[in-house]
Amino acid sequence: MTHRFEPGRLTAGLVVLGTALAYGLDAAGEWDLPPFAPLPVLLAGLCLAGLVSALAFGARRRRTRLSEHTAPPLRDLPMEELRRRYEAPPAGRGSGVREPRQDREDREDREDREDREEAN
């Protein structure tokens, strides 16, 4: 199972790990810090992690919206209607090509007849 990459969590983890490292070095005597010094850094880092998460969410949401506006899969296309229009003579006065509204009305009528036949 794979998980989606979340840069906000990575940022938060690195900030908390750095703060823990600073306190660990202070406890080991390697670094002399006042006890409150890493706290503003921790707060700023967590705010940065929140900002990174919000930006990642916005980018993911935008990518999802853009992918929704792509062409529909072929199985969802009305193939019979497309084939009939492709084989029809060129549009023009008296060409026999019907308006899309007529096609829709005919399709609705046909569906109504099929529904009535199924009900009987």
Side-chain angles (χ1 to χ4, degrees), residues 12-80:
L14 290 175
V15 166
V16 170
L17 189 62
T19 304
L21 180 65
Y23 277 122
L25 288 174
D26 184 42
E30 297 292 325
W31 206 5
D32 189 25
L33 296 179
F36 62 86
L39 292 179
V41 174
L42 178 67
L43 179 64
L46 292 178
C47 288
L48 176 67
L51 178 66
V52 169
S53 290
L55 290 174
F57 175 75
R60 202 175 308 120
R61 185 174 173 188
R62 182 170 188 260
R63 190 175 340 125
T64 302
R65 282 186 180 171
L66 289 176
S67 68
E68 289 175 354
H69 295 296
T70 59
L74 288 178
R75 68 177 177 277
D76 295 341
L77 292 175
M79 296 307 291
E80 293 301 321

